[in-house]
Amino acid sequence: MLILKNVTAVQFSPAQVQHNVDIAIEGSEIVNVGPGLATDYPQATVKEMHGRIVMPGMVCAHNHFYSGLSRGIMAQIPPSPDFISTLKNLWWRLDRVLDEESLYYSGLICSLEAIKSGCTSVIDHHASPHYIAGSLSTLRNAFLKAGLRGMTCFETTDRNGGMEELEAGVEENVNFARLIDNARSAGKERYLVEAHIGAHAPFTVPDAGLAMLSGAVKSTGRGLHIHAAEDRYDVSYSHDKYGKDLLVRLAEFDLLNSKTLIAHGLYLSKEDIRLLNEKDGFLVHNARSNMNNHVGYNHQLAEYHNLALGTDGIGSDMFEELKFAFFKHRDAGGPLWPDSFTRYLWSGNELLVRNFNAKFGSLAAGYKADLTICDYLSPTPLQAENIGGHLAFGLGSSSVHSVMIDGVMVYEDREFAFDCEPIYAEARKVAAKMWRRMDSTK
């Protein structure tokens, strides 16, 4: 047993702050929270926390780890005045040159940086059209190396190879879900990585693809993870090609349920939102990515029953994401305050609950010991009523001291248990090779 002694225990939903308490952890779970626990468990290992904030781990609910080696990219990218040209000129060229080596290092670097920024879980959405079979296992290996919890899926699409590509994408999703099931049954590895059934966006998935995805969702018991209405083009295409709103079309294939994750949703219709709420699915808001891609602002955030925060590939710093989400909302004239965005940040834990069949998101007995630990010398009182204000205007990823995932301190006193420098050195070489492949590939 491990006891984190003398912590400031902070919870997001329901909001709660407890000063000078201890957290007792056995295996992968919290077993007790309260004052003076070291005397109750005399055989336990005790770590003095000196009043540091300990909070349930933060979840990035939508990310793209395949983009991890794109920072400062030096490939020749033509002018891209709109979202579709950005996809064609940058992201769809990048994902086509990913191979096993570049994907592994991309996933590993992203995993390490997620942990360093205080993120304990990442829900990933993957694409590598010329490396489909086995790609999700490669990403899983990167998650496990770093000790990061998460989920991943392959974004099924027909944009490069028609029906053959659709079938390969669905097959990879199903095979990966079965791999996870088999690994859990064997019980030889920590259960850190789960599966979704992925699709790129409705405008690149014809009805035949949706039918295959529907079969995959039903046969594996997983949920759909898909982009929708990130740009107006997606909506216009659906109306022109199918005469239907986006989620109305998905619902006709039984693809909306309590495990469904819709990323972006800037231009979803009122009927789309009603359907998603009715099916108890999730929308994931990605404020910084929407700003970067100049696709507009989602003015309907308050209409969703289930809303979480993601980054869409712009790192995994959820402190930063919360700040941008809140400030952009205020800039757009929105009515919500930091407490709402704190709940959205916490909601990523509910996605884990639904998919891992375990308890996440609270500092209480029986919950997973996924914890973010921060140094924070607050200049004002820290209490339940103002946690959102401290997150929006004070705490940041530079505050992160340690991170525990599944009861293991994977990052302690700002250090990993292994040397990261050789990993980053190799990643730089791999990135340079990948950029050269982009310039030689149309």
Side-chain angles (χ1 to χ4, degrees):
M1 178 177 289
L2 172 66
I3 293 178
L4 302 181
K5 181 178 175 59
N6 186 23
V7 310
T8 302
V10 173
Q11 297 191 140
F12 297 158
S13 183
Q16 184 182 68
V17 177
Q18 296 172 278
H19 296 277
N20 306 118
V21 297
D22 304 339
I23 301 176
I25 297 158
E26 183 76 70
S28 67
E29 293 184 356
I30 297 169
V31 296
N32 204 349
V33 178
L37 293 185
T39 58
D40 296 336
Y41 304 99
Q43 304 303 315
T45 300
V46 177
K47 286 185 181 289
E48 173 62 51
M49 290 287 104
H50 302 287
R52 291 187 179 96
I53 286 177
V54 177
M55 63 183 80
M58 292 186 290
V59 180
C60 176
H62 176 71
N63 208 326
H64 293 295
F65 273 13
Y66 74 80
S67 67
L69 301 183
S70 66
R71 187 185 306 174
I73 191 166
M74 295 298 291
Q76 298 174 22
I77 310 299
S80 305
D82 55 34
F83 178 62
I84 298 301
S85 62
T86 299
L87 290 176
K88 291 179 177 179
N89 295 336
L90 173 56
W91 299 117
W92 291 354
R93 285 176 60 208
L94 184 148
D95 67 33
R96 286 198 297 271
V97 300
L98 283 166
D99 57 13
E100 183 174 0
E101 179 188 50
S102 52
L103 177 57
Y104 176 73
Y105 277 96
S106 186
L108 182 53
I109 290 297
C110 286
S111 297
L112 294 173
E113 299 209 332
I115 291 169
K116 284 195 293 185
S117 66
C119 194
T120 58
S121 300
V122 171
I123 299 177
D124 180 59
H125 194 244
H126 174 60
S128 54
H130 293 163
Y131 173 48
I132 298 177
S135 59
L136 299 182
S137 294
T138 297
L139 276 170
R140 178 174 178 264
N141 291 337
F143 274 78
L144 293 176
K145 168 65 176 175
L148 179 67
R149 188 184 301 279
M151 301 178 64
T152 190
C153 61
F154 193 91
E155 54 174 58
T156 303
T157 181
D158 72 348
R159 66 177 182 259
N160 301 286
M163 185 60 68
E164 184 177 342
E165 184 182 21
L166 285 169
E167 291 172 348
V170 173
E171 183 178 13
E172 176 63 6
N173 280 298
V174 171
N175 287 346
F176 184 66
R178 289 174 178 161
L179 181 151
I180 297 298
D181 291 339
N182 292 337
R184 287 191 68 190
S185 298
K188 294 179 180 179
E189 295 178 308
R190 292 169 64 206
Y191 177 35
L192 288 180
V193 184
E194 249 299 342
H196 262 142
I197 302 300
H200 171 247
F203 76 91
T204 71
V205 186
D207 283 353
L210 294 185
M212 287 188 282
L213 289 165
S214 180
V217 164
K218 292 169 183 173
S219 67
T220 64
R222 268 59 176 201
L224 179 72
H225 184 171
I226 187 171
H227 296 116
E230 184 175 1
D231 182 77
R232 293 184 189 277
Y233 179 84
D234 200 12
V235 178
S236 299
Y237 185 91
S238 185
H239 288 162
D240 180 60
K241 178 76 173 179
Y242 303 102
K244 298 168 187 173
D245 287 344
L246 294 174
L247 300 199
V248 170
R249 182 170 167 242
L250 297 185
E252 290 180 354
F253 287 87
D254 246 355
L255 286 168
L256 300 182
N257 58 43
S258 63
K259 291 184 178 180
T260 300
L261 191 163
I262 304 295
H264 299 289
L266 275 73
Y267 302 105
L268 291 178
S269 69
K270 296 295 184 184
E271 177 63 10
D272 282 337
I273 296 171
R274 186 195 67 78
L275 273 172
L276 189 63
N277 287 340
E278 179 184 277
K279 298 296 184 179
D280 200 27
F282 263 83
L283 181 89
V284 180
H285 179 51
N286 307 274
R288 286 185 294 169
S289 173
N290 293 341
M291 295 166 68
N292 181 55
N293 287 325
H294 192 53
V295 291
Y297 184 70
N298 193 334
H299 292 276
Q300 304 182 95
L301 300 182
E303 303 300 318
Y304 292 91
H305 293 176
N306 301 314
L307 192 142
L309 300 181
T311 64
D312 196 45
I314 303 186
S316 299
D317 186 339
M318 299 311 294
F319 290 102
E320 191 84 344
E321 194 65 38
L322 179 144
K323 289 174 170 61
F324 269 83
F326 170 64
F327 293 131
K328 180 60 181 177
H329 180 76
R330 298 296 294 160
D331 180 61
L336 303 176
W337 288 92
D339 62 319
S340 293
F341 289 89
T342 302
R343 288 196 304 274
Y344 299 156
L345 177 62
W346 173 86
S347 289
N349 283 287
E350 178 59 27
L351 279 164
L352 300 182
V353 170
R354 297 181 183 195
N355 290 279
F356 280 86
N357 194 29
K359 294 181 178 180
F360 294 87
S362 290
L363 303 179
Y367 282 78
K368 283 292 186 181
D370 286 17
L371 307 173
T372 302
I373 302 169
C374 294
D375 286 315
Y376 183 56
L377 190 60
S378 175
T380 59
L382 173 61
Q383 54 201 55
E385 296 81 4
N386 67 8
I387 292 170
H390 284 277
L391 284 168
F393 297 98
L395 278 156
S397 57
S398 62
S399 307
V400 176
H401 177 275
S402 301
V403 172
M404 175 178 283
I405 300 173
D406 206 45
V408 176
M409 203 73 88
V410 296
Y411 185 68
E412 188 168 13
D413 196 12
R414 296 179 168 83
E415 295 287 343
F416 287 97
F418 50 86
D419 187 3
C420 292
E421 190 170 322
I423 296 172
Y424 277 75
E426 187 62 26
R428 288 191 288 272
K429 297 176 185 176
V430 172
K433 288 193 292 183
M434 186 181 74
W435 297 351
R436 288 194 292 272
R437 289 199 301 274
M438 287 180 67
D439 281 339
S440 62
T441 305
K442 295 300 182 182

